[in-house]
Structures are given as C-alpha cells and as structure tokens.
Amino acid sequence: MDIAVIGSNMVDLITYTNQMPKAGETLEAPDFAIGCGGKGANQAVAAAKMGGNVMMVSKVGDDLFAPNTVANLKQQGVDTQFVTTAPGTSSGVAPIFVDDQSQNRILIIKGANQQLKPADIDAAAEALKACQLIILQLEIPLETVYYAIDFARQHDIKVILNPAPAVANLDIDYACKCDFFMPNETELEILTGMPVGTDDEVKRAGQTLLKRGLKT
C-alpha cells in the first residue's frame, strides 16, 4: 500500500422533510436515504478515486450497518483488511435532517469509532510500515491520533492531519510533528482563538501556528 487512512467511518441516515416536528409531534417526511460517510472513510475513498493504493485502519460496529460499510469501501477500491468489528457496539451514525430550504441539522454518534485504539495500529504495523503516507482526522480518540503520529515519525512516513472536527485541546506539539496540517477556517478559529473573517485574519491566525513549528 502507498497510503493509509487511520480513522472514522459513519453511516449517514438522511431524512428530507418539509417541516421539522415540534416536541412530541409526529410528522410524515417525503424521503429518506442512507449514505456512507465519515471523515476518515471520505479521505480513503477520495485518495482511491485519485489512483492511490489505499488501506484503511478503522472500526465498525456489531450491527447491520457494518457489512454495507465494509462492502462500500471495497467497492471504492480501499483495502479493508484492518477494518475490524467492535463487539457489542453500534457503528458510527449521523442522523441528518434536511429541510425544504436545504438547511441541515446533524447529530453525530461516534459509536465504534471511539473504540479505535493504539492496539489497532500495532495490529496493522507491518502493512503500515510499507506506506509512504498516513492520513488522519479527529473523529477517533486523540490518543490514537497521537500514537499514529509517533508511529509515522518512527518509521519515516509522512503524515497529513486534517483537524476535523476541531477540538480546542488538540496538542499543537503533535500537530507540528505532521508534514501537512489542513484546518478549514472554523477549525483554525477554534485552535487559535483568533478571528478568521477575512483573508488577512486567516493569514494572521495561520502564522501563529506556523510560528509554533508547523511545517506546512
């Protein structure tokens, strides 16, 4: 493998509605869809679609969603040898409610993603050592993200960290060990506590992180 994504997968449960129900109210909705997502799975599929030879280290739940998640990753060209099951745990799901103005309301239940531990990286170690790039995000425990970064450094593997969803307590010293750090504006604001409303503000906030030692 050339690329390893260590991270999350989610099942999107999408309800399209013309009106949001009030407390205690039941309404009929016109449509529903199930989608495969999760920030980690999205990274893996995107890399595979661009021609990358991609493996994923991830956790699915012990439920009916898991087989479809694994099958979808395989169909998209992602190696799923190290996508394993967390017994007695639900898969990560995201109930999404979309109104007739295309505004959405999303709830995230991490489920099995919370069970992705450093031991899972150890279990995939030999395959990971052969990779040239490890890609990370923050829908899994921070201890696992930090362990993955240390593993990459020990084996001279480049790292991309997309700090999403942003957490204010992300250890910037660990981020500085990564080769590429890719926050969007909202994540940059959370991480720095600085405004990001204009291009100049974004640059100033970004510079504070670069001064902390970020590479790129």
Side-chain angles (χ1 to χ4, degrees), residues 40 61 120 205:
D120 295 296

Side-chain angles (χ1 to χ4, degrees), residues 71-84:
N72 177 71
L73 288 169
K74 289 180 178 178
Q75 183 179 354
Q76 301 297 336
V78 177
D79 186 297
T80 60
Q81 178 182 355
F82 297 103
V83 178
T84 56

Side-chain angles (χ1 to χ4, degrees), residues 1-4 55 127-134 155-157:
M1 292 292 147
D2 298 323
I3 299 169
M55 62 174 279
L128 290 170
K129 289 176 187 176
C131 294
Q132 300 176 44
L133 177 68
I134 289 176
H155 300 286
D156 197 27
I157 304 168

Side-chain angles (χ1 to χ4, degrees), residues 133-134 136 148-149 152-153 157-161 178-180:
L133 177 68
I134 289 176
L136 301 164
I149 292 169
R153 293 278 64 83
I157 304 168
K158 291 189 179 299
V159 180
I160 292 175
L161 173 58
C178 300
D179 298 277
F180 300 93

Side-chain angles (χ1 to χ4, degrees), residues 120-152:
D120 295 296
I121 296 173
D122 290 338
E126 291 308 311
L128 290 170
K129 289 176 187 176
C131 294
Q132 300 176 44
L133 177 68
I134 289 176
I135 305 177
L136 301 164
Q137 12 54 52
L138 300 180
E139 282 185 334
I140 59 175
L142 276 178
E143 65 166 334
T144 308
V145 173
Y146 297 157
Y147 193 86
I149 292 169
D150 284 336
F151 179 94

Side-chain angles (χ1 to χ4, degrees), residues 48-210:
K49 284 181 173 292
M50 294 181 68
N53 193 10
V54 184
M55 62 174 279
M56 189 166 188
V57 180
S58 191
K59 285 281 187 189
V60 292
D62 186 10
D63 57 19
L64 57 83
F65 294 124
N68 185 63
T69 294
V70 175
N72 177 71
L73 288 169
K74 289 180 178 178
Q75 183 179 354
Q76 301 297 336
V78 177
D79 186 297
T80 60
Q81 178 182 355
F82 297 103
V83 178
T84 56
T85 301
T89 305
S90 72
S91 292
V93 295
I96 302 172
F97 304 90
V98 185
D99 66 21
D100 54 3
Q101 301 299 312
S102 295
Q103 294 295 318
N104 59 38
R105 295 166 175 84
I106 304 174
L107 297 170
I108 296 292
I109 301 95
K110 290 184 177 180
N113 295 298
Q114 288 285 74
Q115 302 301 317
L116 191 66
K117 301 295 185 180
D120 295 296
I121 296 173
D122 290 338
E126 291 308 311
L128 290 170
K129 289 176 187 176
C131 294
Q132 300 176 44
L133 177 68
I134 289 176
I135 305 177
L136 301 164
Q137 12 54 52
L138 300 180
E139 282 185 334
I140 59 175
L142 276 178
E143 65 166 334
T144 308
V145 173
Y146 297 157
Y147 193 86
I149 292 169
D150 284 336
F151 179 94
R153 293 278 64 83
Q154 290 166 12
H155 300 286
D156 197 27
I157 304 168
K158 291 189 179 299
V159 180
I160 292 175
L161 173 58
N162 182 348
V167 290
N169 64 334
L170 177 68
D171 188 338
I172 297 301
D173 289 335
Y174 264 97
C176 291
K177 296 181 181 182
C178 300
D179 298 277
F180 300 93
F181 186 74
M182 303 173 64
N184 66 16
E185 294 100 314
T186 302
E187 293 148 9
L188 183 61
E189 182 176 26
I190 290 171
L191 292 167
T192 63
M194 297 176 67
V196 293
T198 67
D199 287 352
D200 285 341
E201 288 176 341
V202 168
K203 289 177 182 177
R204 282 194 290 272
Q207 286 294 332
T208 65
L209 294 180
L210 290 172

